Each structure stands twice: as C-alpha cells, then as structure tokens.
Amino acid sequence: MAERLVGKQAPRFEMEAVLPNGEFGRVSLEENMKNSKWTVLFFYPLDFTFVCPTEITAISDRYDEFEDLDAVVIGASTDSVYSHKAWMDVPRDQNGIGQIKYPLAADRTQQVSRDYGVLIEEEGVALRGLFIIDPEGELKYAVVHHNNIGRDVDEVLRVLQALQTGGLCPANWKPGQATLTV
C-alpha cells in the first residue's frame, strides 16, 4: 500500500547534480530549507528522450518566475551527472537541452525516486513526479504523470502561488483572485 506524502515532512535528499553553470555540485532539501526557500522537485524518466526536453526547457524558460516566488527548482532522474552534462552540452536545436537555469540531479541509487514513490523498479527509471515542498520541509503538493505526458508549467506556478497564499483557494483560482473565507 502506498504511503501518503502530502501534509507530512518531505523525504530528505542530497544528490549530485549538474549546476546551471555546467559544473558538478550537490543539491539538498536541507540547504533549501536553511535558505527559507520553497522547493519544486520534479522527476523525469531519462536524458536524451522525447518528452523530457520539452519539460526541462519549458521550466528553465520560466525559471525567473519561480525565483520571484522564492522557489528553487531541481530536476532529477536516475541518469548520471555525466549523462546530464552531455545532454546540456547539446544545443536545443539539435535535440539537446542546452544551458538551463536550475540543477539536474542524479539519483543514481534510485533511493530518492523510491522515497517519493515514483520509481518504476523493473525499469530503474522515475515516473514524471512533481513535488512542492514548503520552506519548513512539509510536502504540500504531489502529482505523478504517466511518462508519455508532459507537465504544464502554468499549472505548477499557479499551484505554488496558491500554496503561498496560505488560504483556501477554490477551483480555477488564479493569482490575484480572492481566497475563500470561513
């Protein structure tokens, strides 16, 4: 039976990553929490595939909006940092992702994917899971897609903004609209 994650402390993680400047480094939830940042952690199946670059570049193209909301974005797959770096070294017009504005983490042990409930064990790859974690480490939002379906960046930003209101947001709520009063 799957365990509920939303509303609980998010599984802590630290992973190797390729940073936006192309260098190797590390990313961790603890670091984001220490800096009072929201964390948008998303998993994707594999580098050098078809749907993945559309998501990775779409999020990168809108990264400033995440930054404006005090959010750090981390993309992760079970590929190595070397695979991530090679993919980043290929320009977008040649089916690469080029330079992106956030780190791509390498979940080589598959433990983080497993902790977040997105690992396809028999394939060793992650489903398209996306998680929003508040600065105190509480997992506030989780969505998992089939690997054939890309995510909507507008919706991720809308949900992040709704969570940050601290209020009750009705269906189809948009930033700037009133929240519900009780």
Side-chain angles (χ1 to χ4, degrees):
M1 168 116 7
E3 182 182 334
R4 172 181 66 87
L5 294 175
V6 174
K8 294 184 175 184
Q9 283 293 299
R12 299 303 193 256
F13 62 82
E14 183 174 347
M15 294 180 278
E16 288 184 296
V18 180
L19 305 176
N21 64 6
E23 294 180 9
F24 298 118
R26 299 191 76 73
V27 293
S28 76
L29 180 56
E30 292 291 337
E31 185 69 21
N32 296 345
M33 291 169 57
K34 185 172 76 174
N35 293 323
S36 298
K37 297 290 185 182
W38 288 76
T39 300
V40 177
L41 172 64
F42 75 93
F43 294 88
Y44 64 94
L46 292 166
D47 295 342
F48 296 100
T49 55
F50 303 99
V51 177
C52 298
T54 67
E55 290 188 306
I56 290 168
T57 58
I59 292 170
S60 182
D61 291 347
R62 308 273 305 272
Y63 187 73
D64 293 346
E65 294 173 65
F66 288 97
E67 268 191 328
D68 290 346
L69 296 169
D70 280 330
V72 172
V73 175
I74 300 169
S77 80
T78 58
D79 291 306
S80 71
V81 290
Y82 305 106
S83 180
H84 292 342
K85 176 83 169 105
W87 201 24
M88 292 167 79
D89 288 343
V90 178
R92 289 184 185 188
D93 63 359
Q94 296 174 22
N95 297 320
I97 57 173
Q99 184 176 7
I100 59 171
K101 296 181 180 178
Y102 57 88
L104 288 184
D107 183 20
R108 295 296 296 146
T109 66
Q110 303 172 359
Q111 188 60 53
V112 182
S113 299
R114 189 174 290 111
D115 289 346
Y116 279 82
V118 296
L119 183 65
I120 304 172
E121 294 278 350
E122 60 276 12
E123 295 178 30
V125 300
L127 291 165
R128 291 188 197 287
L130 184 135
F131 303 88
I132 299 177
I133 304 161
D134 76 10
E136 289 76 44
E138 182 181 338
L139 200 148
K140 295 286 196 173
Y141 178 78
V143 63
V144 180
H145 288 237
H146 186 280
N147 281 341
N148 290 349
I149 310 299
R151 287 163 276 222
D152 183 331
V153 180
D154 288 329
E155 177 63 2
V156 176
L157 285 163
R158 184 192 78 82
V159 169
L160 177 59
Q161 291 173 18
L163 289 167
Q164 290 180 348
T165 69
L168 301 172
C169 297
N172 301 318
W173 178 90
K174 300 280 189 264
Q177 293 178 339
T179 57
L180 300 174
T181 55
V182 186

